[in-house]
Amino acid sequence: MNWEVVIGLEIHAQLATKSKIFSGASTAYGAAPNTQACAVDLGLPGVLPVLNKEVVRMAAKFGLAIGARVAPRSVFARKNYFYPDLPKGYQISQYELPIVEGGHIDIDLEDGGTKRIGVTRAHLEEDAGKSLHEDFHGMTGIDLNRAGTPLLEIVSEPDMRSAKEAVAYMRKIHSLVRYLEICDGNMQEGSFRCDANVSVRPMGQQELGTRTELKNINSFRFVEKAINFEIERQIDVLEGGGEIVQETRLYDADKDITRAMRSKEEANDYRYFPDPDLLPVVIEPAFLDEVKAGLPELPDEKRQRFVEQFELSAYDAGVLTASREIAEYFEAVVVAANGVAKLSANWVMGELTAALNKSGQDITDSPVTAQMLGGMILRISDNTISGKIAKEVFEAMWAGEGDADAVIEAKGLKQITDASAIEPIIDEIIAANPGQVEQYRGGKDKLFGFFVGQVMKATKGKANPQQVNELLKAKLNG
Amino acid sequence: MSLQKEDVEKIAHLARLAIDEADIPDYARNLSNILDLVERMSAIDTEAVTPMAHPLDMPQRLRDDVVSEKNQRERFQKIAPQVENGLYLVPQVIE
């Protein structure tokens, strides 16, 4: 039987505020346990939550960026459940009236097309603390530093039909929240997490199959692997005559499997009700206008501009706008290279990306700055160096030997473009290889490359390749 | 609407309340009375009424995003039953 896969994602993006959503405690990552957990975060009696304005602004920013409706009135609700890292016994979240409703994201498909993925809603909520299950004499340690950190939970429609689409969607949201500067996107630190709802149904069937929820998957690679494993598992169960149980499953990256979490029959009885400690959040049109005016150029807009302004292919523009940092680096290279865009694009996507991947560094920490790379590209475009020599210059810059001009000067890499300097070398080579010359003239065209190689070798690669070609051709044929 | 013994037990469990077996009929009656009252209100046509989220008719005030809380861990942990290395210790929760 042919199966259709149906996937929806819930993404939790930690909002990049200085203080918590309902208290003035710091949200900085990595502090000593419980040093950033104040009375409000601990849920001590008598405390009241006071909403952080920046959290509202960030949610509105996201809503506007995905073409959603930013609710003029939204309401916080209590989601009730007991767990030690949730001291109040409820999580403040939004339920019936979320702050963002109904937007969309366009993802790129492998066949070059695009697909629109609906965003059902995005709501604000507080994060819980952390439980440490290491050995504390049979007890569990609780760190409440994370409790009360603002989260934006972004819920998609079940519009994705493969693990690849789910990853493309997740990457797009990841890129967007970083462009908007509302989330640092750090997946290792848990600032950007994802749950996936996965089901399968016979191709052509309208009704959705029973879904399972895969929890807390913390890398793009694992999202794809976890979903693919789960798809296979569900199809195996159904084809074996079994039924899918609606349950929460955890992905085990070491074994590359998903397994059921312990069953909690009452897990979903959250008994939501409006939080009496918080009044409805009202967003005035003036506030929204202000947020709109402050929106940066969004990834899709930037990509379109790169295609038009720099005459790049849609693919190249997509790679160069995948993150705000890459886009900013690239634009700075183009400026430094006096507007030479295509070559700049090739270097950023090629040598630079390869070197960064190899050293495991981010583009913002690149030893070769945008100004240095642009300066080097300028020297390629004004024929001071050839593309081949440029690789040597790049390596030297990477190793900290200075900018392009300094490296070219110090290593004597300046290209020989003076015909009167190249001609005698060609004459020597022709004189030294009478046999090859004869064969070439006799019709063995392939030998041309041999002569080019000899000239380049004699000039240590510094001769201008185009000039060498022209001069050689003239002399050999003449 | 009349609650059964099992309903009362479930509600108590969700709220993590220990209740006396002998008190269950009383709880069932009292809770049922509350639900009956709500039931009576259902008869009113509320089609054109915006659900009230809060008895106060005013919007939520917002605070600026400023860190204003200092570390008071020692003070808070003085009243905790058990702490270690800055962590609050609780009975083991993982199976």
Side-chain angles (χ1 to χ4, degrees):
Chain A
M1 190 186 289
N2 270 333
W3 297 93
E4 185 180 39
V5 175
V6 178
I7 303 162
L9 295 187
E10 291 168 19
I11 292 172
H12 286 88
Q14 223 172 65
L15 296 176
T17 54
K18 295 184 192 74
S19 66
K20 293 191 177 170
I21 181 168
F22 298 119
S23 83
S26 170
T27 55
Y29 181 82
N34 293 307
T35 53
Q36 293 174 172
C38 72
V40 174
D41 309 326
L42 296 178
L44 293 184
V47 298
L48 283 173
V50 188
L51 184 59
N52 186 336
K53 187 174 186 178
E54 201 53 32
V55 167
V56 176
R57 183 191 303 278
M58 286 176 171
K61 245 178 157 177
F62 179 77
L64 290 172
I66 61 163
R69 170 178 174 271
V70 179
R73 180 173 173 274
S74 64
V75 170
F76 281 101
R78 292 185 181 182
K79 177 180 180 178
N80 299 280
Y81 67 93
F82 281 99
Y83 207 74
D85 58 23
L86 185 77
K88 296 191 297 298
Y90 59 86
Q91 176 192 30
I92 305 178
S93 181
Q94 295 188 309
Y95 188 54
E96 286 166 314
L97 297 166
I99 191 160
V100 170
E101 269 182 304
H104 57 80
I105 287 280
D106 293 330
I107 60 166
D108 296 313
L109 302 178
E110 281 188 317
D111 65 7
T114 62
K115 178 172 175 177
R116 178 154 289 191
I117 307 294
V119 175
T120 317
R121 57 185 273 159
H123 63 257
L124 290 169
E125 62 185 26
E126 58 179 343
D127 208 345
K130 265 186 193 157
S131 303
L132 301 152
H133 303 291
E134 288 99 71
D135 193 28
F136 294 103
H137 342 285
M139 300 188 81
T140 294
I142 305 289
D143 176 6
L144 294 169
N145 279 349
R146 201 180 62 183
T149 299
L151 298 178
L152 186 66
E153 179 172 335
I154 303 157
V155 183
S156 84
E157 291 286 313
D159 286 347
M160 288 151 277
R161 294 290 173 270
S162 68
K164 282 220 157 34
E165 286 185 20
V167 172
Y169 167 82
M170 193 178 168
R171 281 191 187 278
K172 201 77 189 261
I173 297 271
H174 186 256
S175 158
L176 183 62
V177 296
R178 294 180 70 217
Y179 264 88
L180 294 170
E181 294 181 319
I182 62 172
C183 172
D184 68 17
N186 189 324
M187 296 171 85
Q188 277 87 42
E189 293 178 4
S191 306
F192 190 85
R193 331 195 271 270
C194 167
D195 301 338
N197 289 308
V198 179
S199 66
V200 299
R201 62 182 169 190
M203 197 61 86
Q205 180 182 303
Q206 277 298 307
E207 197 190 333
L208 290 169
T210 305
R211 64 162 199 266
T212 57
E213 185 182 10
L214 309 179
K215 275 271 181 210
N216 270 336
I217 322 170
N218 64 357
S219 83
F220 295 118
R221 201 163 62 92
F222 289 164
V223 167
E224 187 168 346
K225 293 180 97 173
I227 292 175
N228 277 332
F229 174 86
E230 184 58 18
I231 292 168
E232 289 301 314
R233 189 192 69 85
Q234 290 190 9
I235 291 173
D236 282 352
V237 169
L238 292 169
E239 289 187 340
E243 276 184 18
I244 302 300
V245 183
Q246 185 167 345
E247 63 187 355
T248 302
R249 298 178 69 86
L250 285 177
Y251 177 65
D252 183 334
D254 295 333
K255 297 189 186 129
D256 191 24
I257 55 162
T258 67
R259 59 186 160 78
M261 277 175 84
R262 61 195 184 282
S263 64
K264 295 181 284 182
E265 322 83 69
E266 285 145 338
N268 289 322
D269 204 341
Y270 291 131
R271 295 149 295 144
Y272 283 96
F273 64 89
D275 191 326
D277 287 344
L278 288 153
L279 292 150
V281 180
V282 171
I283 294 183
E284 304 284 354
F287 180 82
L288 215 51
D289 288 345
E290 188 192 313
V291 173
K292 201 178 253 171
L295 279 183
E297 184 181 33
L298 299 174
D300 288 349
E301 295 164 9
K302 201 183 273 285
R303 179 174 170 178
Q304 192 52 39
R305 177 168 65 78
F306 277 19
V307 169
E308 286 160 14
Q309 183 181 342
F310 301 127
E311 294 173 349
L312 299 176
S313 69
Y315 175 82
D316 288 0
V319 172
L320 292 168
T321 53
S323 83
R324 193 168 174 167
E325 290 79 6
I326 292 177
E328 281 170 2
Y329 185 98
F330 167 70
E331 288 204 83
V333 172
V334 175
V335 169
N338 248 341
V340 182
K342 182 62 189 152
L343 198 54
S344 296
N346 290 346
W347 273 89
V348 171
M349 294 188 296
E351 299 293 316
L352 178 79
T353 303
L356 289 170
N357 286 344
K358 202 171 154 201
S359 72
Q361 278 166 298
D362 282 334
I363 199 160
T364 44
D365 308 321
S366 172
V368 175
T369 65
Q371 284 65 35
M372 288 160 76
L373 187 58
M376 187 196 84
I377 287 163
L378 195 59
R379 293 294 164 252
I380 303 174
S381 68
D382 70 8
N383 277 326
T384 305
I385 53 172
S386 66
K388 203 170 170 197
I389 289 290
K391 292 192 175 160
E392 198 180 331
V393 175
F394 181 83
E395 274 169 30
M397 293 198 300
W398 186 272
E401 294 173 30
D403 67 10
D405 286 346
V407 171
I408 293 166
E409 180 67 35
K411 294 189 176 249
L413 295 174
K414 201 159 181 258
Q415 186 161 245
I416 306 166
T417 51
D418 181 359
S420 64
I422 301 172
E423 272 181 277
I425 297 169
I426 293 180
D427 290 340
E428 267 173 49
I429 286 164
I430 287 177
N433 298 284
Q436 279 87 345
V437 174
E438 202 172 315
Q439 287 181 37
Y440 175 79
R441 287 184 174 151
K444 213 171 170 193
D445 290 349
K446 268 197 266 175
L447 274 172
F448 190 72
F450 162 79
F451 290 107
V452 174
Q454 291 296 309
V455 177
M456 291 317 249
K457 201 169 150 194
T459 57
K460 297 195 175 72
K462 286 186 288 181
N464 178 302
Q466 217 178 326
Q467 244 175 328
V468 171
N469 280 348
E470 281 165 17
L471 291 171
L472 253 178
K473 215 162 256 175
K475 287 196 182 275
L476 284 169
N477 295 343
Chain B
M1 187 172 176
S2 142
L3 291 180
Q4 304 304 306
K5 178 170 179 278
E6 299 75 48
D7 299 321
V8 174
E9 282 168 348
K10 188 185 172 197
I11 293 164
H13 172 70
L14 283 172
R16 298 295 188 274
L17 291 173
I19 53 172
D20 240 318
E21 185 79 23
D23 294 333
I24 292 181
D26 266 352
Y27 285 131
R29 198 164 41 249
N30 286 334
L31 291 170
S32 297
N33 284 343
I34 295 169
L35 294 176
D36 286 342
L37 180 70
V38 175
E39 195 85 341
R40 272 160 63 198
M41 290 193 273
S42 301
I44 303 163
D45 178 12
T46 56
E47 197 58 42
V49 181
T50 309
M52 186 176 73
H54 201 280
L56 295 179
D57 184 21
M58 53 195 288
Q60 173 67 34
R61 282 183 57 177
L62 306 175
R63 48 166 256 278
D64 288 336
D65 181 26
V66 176
V67 176
S68 56
E69 292 286 341
K70 287 194 189 70
N71 171 23
Q72 299 191 71
R73 186 174 78 182
E74 305 315 316
R75 235 182 115 195
F76 292 136
Q77 296 203 332
K78 256 183 206 156
I79 54 169
Q82 218 176 328
V83 294
E84 190 174 308
N85 296 336
L87 298 163
Y88 294 93
L89 294 191
V90 299
Q92 195 145 36
V93 284
I94 208 163
E95 275 169 21

